[in-house]
Amino acid sequence: MKVTSKTLFLVTIFVGGGYLLFFIIKRDWFGVAFSGYLFLKGLHLSFDQEAYNEGNKEAVIKKALHRKVFGKFAPFAPYVPFLSLFIALGLTQVFEVSLFLRIALLSILLFIFLYILWFEQIIKKERQKEELAQSDGSVEQVEHPKS
């Protein structure tokens, strides 16, 4: 077996393995299952050239779609769910627990969920366009912005 990405392999072993051991020691079985899944996925991508290429292709497609949809705000767009979670965390630290805080937190979580679903639908439509263009053999190309 040949390692296709040494960086991914080392990160998977040290970080993924570290989290896996941490959750095993803590006896948090949900954490073990989740980190174990990510650990195995990282190992799979590290050793399988085809899966590694597919992962890189997926990343390029997502980056191009972010540029197409968000324009000059594209570098920040992938981090909107994380920023929303940090806002929710900040709200919990500043305000005491009340009905309005719970409504705000649920609204933020709903926003994150809908944002992810919306962008996944955009990716799905773009993939269908690419597959249609490839199967028809037509000259129409999917528009990818230049970096």
Side-chain angles (χ1 to χ4, degrees), residues 55-88:
N56 284 343
K57 181 182 174 186
E58 182 78 19
V60 168
I61 289 172
K62 285 184 178 182
K63 189 175 182 180
L65 288 175
H66 274 105
R67 285 186 190 143
K68 184 177 177 182
V69 173
F70 296 105
K72 66 180 179 179
F73 297 107
F76 305 108
Y79 305 109
V80 168
F82 297 113
L83 294 173
S84 300
L85 284 176
F86 283 125
I87 290 171

Side-chain angles (χ1 to χ4, degrees), residues 84-102:
S84 300
L85 284 176
F86 283 125
I87 290 171
L89 179 65
L91 288 174
T92 60
Q93 299 300 316
V94 173
F95 298 108
E96 62 185 45
V97 177
S98 66
L99 177 64
F100 294 114
L101 179 64
R102 290 178 183 166

Side-chain angles (χ1 to χ4, degrees), residues 17 28 67 88 92 125 135 147:
D28 179 7
R67 285 186 190 143
T92 60
K125 288 178 184 176
S135 66
S147 39

Side-chain angles (χ1 to χ4, degrees), residues 22-36:
F22 172 75
F23 286 124
I24 289 172
I25 291 170
K26 260 184 98 171
R27 295 181 185 210
D28 179 7
W29 303 119
F30 176 75
V32 169
F34 183 69
S35 60

Side-chain angles (χ1 to χ4, degrees), residues 9-147:
F9 177 71
L10 291 174
V11 167
T12 299
I13 293 296
F14 290 118
V15 177
Y19 274 115
L20 189 60
L21 288 175
F22 172 75
F23 286 124
I24 289 172
I25 291 170
K26 260 184 98 171
R27 295 181 185 210
D28 179 7
W29 303 119
F30 176 75
V32 169
F34 183 69
S35 60
Y37 165 75
L38 292 178
F39 182 75
L40 291 176
K41 185 176 179 182
L43 285 178
H44 174 68
L45 291 174
S46 297
F47 287 111
D48 188 9
Q49 182 68 42
E50 187 175 313
Y52 181 74
N53 292 341
E54 186 67 30
N56 284 343
K57 181 182 174 186
E58 182 78 19
V60 168
I61 289 172
K62 285 184 178 182
K63 189 175 182 180
L65 288 175
H66 274 105
R67 285 186 190 143
K68 184 177 177 182
V69 173
F70 296 105
K72 66 180 179 179
F73 297 107
F76 305 108
Y79 305 109
V80 168
F82 297 113
L83 294 173
S84 300
L85 284 176
F86 283 125
I87 290 171
L89 179 65
L91 288 174
T92 60
Q93 299 300 316
V94 173
F95 298 108
E96 62 185 45
V97 177
S98 66
L99 177 64
F100 294 114
L101 179 64
R102 290 178 183 166
I103 291 172
L105 294 177
L106 284 174
S107 299
I108 290 172
L109 290 177
L110 181 65
F111 166 74
I112 293 169
F113 180 71
L114 291 175
Y115 178 83
I116 292 170
L117 283 179
W118 171 70
F119 198 72
E120 287 298 319
Q121 287 297 320
I122 291 174
I123 292 172
K124 185 178 177 182
K125 288 178 184 176
E126 194 68 29
R127 277 195 198 129
Q128 288 174 351
K129 284 181 187 177
E130 284 184 1
E131 288 174 4
L132 194 83
Q134 289 175 355
S135 66
D136 288 345
S138 63
V139 184
E140 180 184 343
Q141 291 290 328
V142 177
E143 191 175 311
H144 291 287
K146 297 175 184 170
S147 39

